[in-house]
Amino acid sequence: MSELSAIDREWQALEHIATLVAVIRLDGAAARVNAALENALGVSRKSILGHYFGGFFQDDELMHKALVDARAQRFSSLRFEAQLRRSLQDAFPVHANLSWWEEDETILVELWPLEQQVRQDREERVREQALANKELIRNLAHEIKNPLGGIRGAAQLLELELPDAQLKEYTDVIIHEADRLQALVDRLLAPHRHPHTVGDVNIHEVCERVCQLVLLEYPQGLRIERDYDTSLPEIRGDREQLIQALLNIVQNAAQVLVPQMAQGDAHITLRTRIARQLTLGRKRHKLALELHVIDNGPGIEPDIKERIFYPLVTGRDGGTGLGLPLAQTFVQRHEGLIECESEPGRTDFRIMLPLTD
């Protein structure tokens, strides 16, 4: 096998890693780039190859100095932090490692997005917290469930023995509150009771079902916009769980938009897109689905923004604080994750689900 084909074979492996990789010549032009770098820059590979690679940095002096040092053979490996430009987006920070390849006199550039590391750390914390919450909720719900039955039964027996019918008002309160707590416990235990039934699911059918349910509940003043990528393939998953997860998020959005509905200025956008080379749960997926739920509400209160997926945390009067944790649980059953970015006037929940292994 020729040396060229061996190099190509080695480079092919770099097409499937998360690290952003480029090979540049001593004149600074890009000779090779992998798919992760192409996606990060937001431009086609043809727009990168043959062009001065330093131009993709906020401060191209860093790359210029590295090239000067490489020509003078002053380093075998060089590290620095920089800002990488992106098409139609803000620049983002990266940690760069440059290695000198003496055999063919080129420089291997490896870039690790710092925001990606922060995101992965946050994702790991969310997963660990979700596991801890699941165990805590299950144990707590079982501990509450048994005494509730006893309290309700005792109230019913007491009601039969009351000498004054007017006192029945008090036993009615006990029975009503016991039933309310029982319903809450049932919701806490719901994810653990439902079997995970997997089949082929069209995500846009899921979206349309949720839109139908929410618009029936809020027929006036709410506009739901669809921005679908109709080329998306079907995913393997539990249709009912995915409907419930999305419904919980869209209902939350609709509930905070109630004041704006009266003015006819409430809208929610459902957007589907394909994502490439996405890491979920420390596993790299070639293709993944991104489903955004975007609303123009007041945003999430800063003091609870980091805890919205914790059980019983809510920023809304009358809320149970269970909708988002249950949604996260159902999505994690599909090896996916829900993330949220929020500011006044725009809240974006992003559901990420793998399409391939």
Side-chain angles (χ1 to χ4, degrees):
M1 184 174 291
S2 68
E3 182 182 354
L4 179 61
S5 61
I7 292 174
D8 285 341
R9 206 152 37 85
E10 291 173 0
W11 179 259
Q12 191 64 33
L14 297 179
E15 289 289 329
H16 305 293
I17 66 172
T19 307
L20 317 182
V21 180
V23 175
I24 60 175
R25 299 191 294 263
L26 288 181
D27 61 359
R32 291 177 182 266
V33 296
N34 71 344
L37 179 57
E38 181 183 7
N39 291 334
L41 292 175
V43 296
S44 68
R45 195 168 302 202
K46 289 182 179 179
S47 301
I48 306 172
L49 296 177
H51 292 80
Y52 178 58
F53 193 67
F56 294 102
F57 290 83
Q58 283 282 79
D59 182 3
D60 64 357
E61 185 62 28
L62 291 170
M63 186 58 65
H64 175 72
K65 184 178 184 302
L67 290 170
V68 171
D69 290 345
R71 293 188 192 102
Q73 298 185 2
R74 292 175 184 159
F75 74 88
S76 59
S77 180
L78 178 67
R79 295 176 179 268
F80 58 85
E81 292 186 358
Q83 295 280 332
L84 196 64
R85 297 178 187 269
R86 289 186 290 186
S87 176
L88 304 176
Q89 299 181 64
D90 294 334
F92 68 101
V94 294
H95 180 80
N97 182 73
L98 276 61
S99 303
W100 168 244
W101 281 6
E102 187 173 359
E103 291 80 1
D104 55 359
E105 294 190 336
T106 57
I107 299 172
L108 175 67
V109 181
E110 300 170 272
L111 303 170
W112 292 275
L114 299 182
E115 64 179 21
Q116 178 176 316
Q117 185 61 49
V118 170
R119 177 182 168 275
Q120 288 180 353
D121 291 343
R122 183 173 66 246
E123 176 185 331
E124 190 65 24
R125 288 196 304 272
V126 168
R127 288 184 176 277
E128 290 175 358
Q129 185 64 50
L131 289 174
N133 287 341
K134 183 170 69 174
E135 193 63 27
L136 173 63
I137 288 171
R138 185 163 50 188
N139 293 336
L140 181 61
H142 281 298
E143 288 297 321
I144 294 173
K145 188 178 179 65
N146 293 333
L148 274 180
I151 291 170
R152 192 184 194 284
Q156 288 176 315
L157 292 174
L158 179 61
E159 184 179 290
L160 296 174
E161 300 295 329
L162 289 176
D164 187 345
Q166 291 183 345
L167 296 176
K168 183 177 178 294
E169 176 184 350
Y170 300 107
T171 55
D172 284 345
V173 169
I174 296 172
I175 293 170
H176 174 77
E177 289 303 301
D179 288 342
R180 185 179 64 82
L181 289 174
Q182 181 64 58
L184 180 62
V185 168
D186 288 341
R187 289 192 66 191
L188 287 170
L189 290 172
H192 316 294
R193 288 175 170 171
H194 294 171
H196 190 56
T197 306
V198 176
D200 291 330
V201 180
N202 184 317
I203 196 63
H204 298 128
E205 290 181 359
V206 170
C207 292
E208 288 303 303
R209 176 60 175 161
V210 169
C211 288
Q212 180 185 35
L213 293 172
V214 173
L215 289 174
L216 283 173
E217 187 176 355
Y218 300 95
Q220 301 293 329
L222 175 63
R223 186 173 77 256
I224 298 182
E225 299 175 358
R226 284 85 154 175
D227 182 5
Y228 297 158
D229 179 352
T230 56
S231 67
L232 284 172
E234 291 186 333
I235 64 173
R236 295 289 294 172
D238 186 313
R239 184 176 183 274
E240 295 306 315
Q241 288 185 7
L242 290 173
I243 288 175
Q244 189 61 56
L246 182 58
L247 180 61
N248 287 359
I249 295 173
V250 178
Q251 279 183 329
N252 265 18
Q255 286 162 358
V256 301
L257 288 170
V258 168
Q260 291 171 240
M261 290 181 195
Q263 304 169 5
D265 184 35
H267 66 260
I268 297 171
T269 300
L270 297 185
R271 177 179 300 152
T272 58
R273 291 292 185 270
I274 197 78
R276 301 179 187 278
Q277 302 297 337
L278 188 66
T279 301
L280 293 170
R282 298 195 178 278
K283 183 177 180 181
R284 194 70 175 172
H285 298 278
K286 295 179 184 178
L287 295 175
L289 179 150
E290 286 191 358
L291 170 55
H292 295 260
V293 179
I294 305 169
D295 71 70
N296 67 330
I300 298 170
E301 297 174 13
D303 59 331
I304 67 168
K305 187 180 293 186
E306 299 298 320
R307 299 181 291 118
I308 57 173
F309 293 108
Y310 290 10
L312 309 179
V313 174
T314 180
R316 181 172 52 82
D317 291 340
T320 63
L322 294 177
L324 293 179
L326 290 177
Q328 186 74 274
T329 297
F330 286 139
V331 170
Q332 286 182 346
R333 280 189 170 192
H334 292 77
E335 299 184 2
L337 189 71
I338 307 175
E339 290 185 341
C340 177
E341 295 181 359
S342 182
E343 60 185 22
R346 190 179 193 275
T347 296
D348 182 359
F349 280 91
R350 181 170 65 143
I351 301 173
M352 295 166 286
L353 296 166
L355 289 174
T356 60
D357 295 330

